[in-house]
Coordinates of all heavy atoms in Angstrom, one line a residue:
D32 N 95.6 105.3 88.6 CA 96.2 105.1 87.3 C 96.8 103.7 87.2 O 97.5 103.3 86.2 CB 97.3 106.1 87.0 CG 98.4 106.1 88.0 OD1 98.3 105.5 89.1 OD2 99.4 106.8 87.8
L33 N 96.6 102.8 88.2 CA 97.1 101.5 88.2 C 96.2 100.5 87.3 O 95.0 100.7 87.3 CB 97.2 100.9 89.6 CG 98.1 101.7 90.6 CD1 98.0 101.1 92.0 CD2 99.5 101.8 90.1
Y34 N 96.8 99.6 86.7 CA 96.0 98.6 85.9 C 95.4 97.6 86.8 O 96.1 97.1 87.7 CB 96.9 97.9 84.9 CG 96.2 96.9 84.1 CD1 95.4 97.2 83.0 CD2 96.2 95.5 84.4 CE1 94.6 96.3 82.3 CE2 95.5 94.6 83.7 CZ 94.7 94.9 82.7 OH 94.0 94.0 82.0
Y35 N 94.1 97.2 86.6 CA 93.5 96.2 87.4 C 92.5 95.4 86.6 O 92.1 95.8 85.5 CB 92.8 96.9 88.6 CG 91.6 97.8 88.2 CD1 90.3 97.3 88.1 CD2 91.8 99.1 88.0 CE1 89.3 98.1 87.7 CE2 90.8 100.0 87.6 CZ 89.5 99.4 87.5 OH 88.4 100.2 87.1
E36 N 92.1 94.3 87.2 CA 91.1 93.4 86.6 C 90.1 93.0 87.7 O 90.6 92.8 88.8 CB 91.7 92.2 85.9 CG 92.6 92.6 84.7 CD 93.3 91.4 84.0 OE1 93.0 90.2 84.5 OE2 94.0 91.5 83.1
D53 N 103.7 90.6 88.6 CA 102.5 91.4 88.4 C 101.3 90.6 88.7 O 101.4 89.6 89.4 CB 102.5 92.0 87.0 CG 102.7 91.0 85.9 OD1 102.0 89.9 85.9 OD2 103.6 91.2 85.0
L54 N 100.1 91.0 88.2 CA 98.9 90.3 88.6 C 98.9 88.9 88.1 O 98.1 88.1 88.5 CB 97.7 91.1 88.1 CG 97.4 91.4 86.7 CD1 97.0 90.2 85.9 CD2 96.4 92.5 86.6
R55 N 99.8 88.5 87.2 CA 99.9 87.1 86.8 C 100.5 86.2 87.9 O 100.4 85.0 87.7 CB 100.8 87.0 85.5 CG 100.2 87.6 84.3 CD 101.1 87.6 83.1 NE 102.2 88.6 83.3 CZ 103.2 88.8 82.5 NH1 103.3 88.1 81.4 NH2 104.1 89.7 82.7
D74 N 98.2 95.5 89.1 CA 99.7 95.6 88.9 C 100.1 96.8 89.8 O 99.7 97.9 89.6 CB 100.0 95.9 87.5 CG 99.8 94.7 86.6 OD1 99.8 93.6 87.1 OD2 99.6 94.9 85.4
Q75 N 101.1 96.5 90.7 CA 101.6 97.6 91.5 C 102.4 98.5 90.6 O 102.8 98.2 89.5 CB 102.6 97.0 92.5 CG 101.9 96.1 93.6 CD 102.8 95.2 94.3 OE1 104.0 95.5 94.4 NE2 102.3 94.1 94.9
G77 N 104.9 100.4 88.6 CA 106.2 100.0 88.0 C 106.2 98.5 87.5 O 107.2 98.1 87.0
Q78 N 105.1 97.8 87.8 CA 105.0 96.4 87.4 C 103.9 96.2 86.3 O 102.9 97.0 86.3 CB 104.7 95.5 88.6 CG 105.6 95.8 89.8 CD 107.0 95.3 89.6 OE1 107.3 94.4 88.8 NE2 108.0 96.0 90.2
G79 N 104.0 95.1 85.5 CA 103.0 94.8 84.6 C 102.6 95.9 83.7 O 103.4 96.6 83.1
R80 N 101.3 96.2 83.7 CA 100.7 97.3 82.8 C 100.5 98.6 83.6 O 99.9 99.5 83.0 CB 99.5 96.8 82.1 CG 99.7 95.8 81.0 CD 98.5 95.2 80.4 NE 98.1 94.0 81.2 CZ 97.1 93.2 80.8 NH1 96.5 93.4 79.7 NH2 96.9 92.1 81.6
S81 N 101.0 98.7 84.8 CA 100.9 100.0 85.5 C 102.0 100.9 85.1 O 103.1 100.4 84.7 CB 100.8 99.7 87.0 OG 99.6 99.2 87.4
P82 N 101.8 102.2 85.3 CA 102.9 103.1 84.9 C 104.1 103.0 85.8 O 104.0 102.6 86.9 CB 102.2 104.5 85.1 CG 101.1 104.3 86.0 CD 100.6 102.9 85.8
V83 N 105.3 103.4 85.3 CA 106.5 103.4 86.0 C 106.5 104.5 87.1 O 105.9 105.6 86.8 CB 107.8 103.5 85.1 CG1 107.8 102.4 84.1 CG2 107.8 104.9 84.4
N197 N 109.4 92.2 84.0 CA 109.3 93.2 85.0 C 110.7 93.7 85.4 O 110.9 94.9 85.8 CB 108.6 92.6 86.3 CG 107.1 92.7 86.1 OD1 106.5 93.7 86.0 ND2 106.5 91.5 85.9
K200 N 111.3 96.2 82.7 CA 110.5 97.4 83.0 C 111.2 98.3 84.1 O 111.2 99.5 84.0 CB 109.1 97.1 83.3 CG 108.2 98.3 83.5 CD 106.7 98.0 83.5 CE 105.9 99.2 83.5 NZ 104.4 99.0 83.2

Side-chain angles (χ1 to χ4, degrees):
D32 59 349
L33 301 180
Y34 177 80
Y35 66 87
E36 296 179 359
D53 49 50
L54 59 75
R55 288 173 292 177
D74 291 333
Q75 294 161 24
Q78 309 292 332
R80 283 173 275 187
S81 285
V83 300
N197 283 293
K200 183 163 185 169

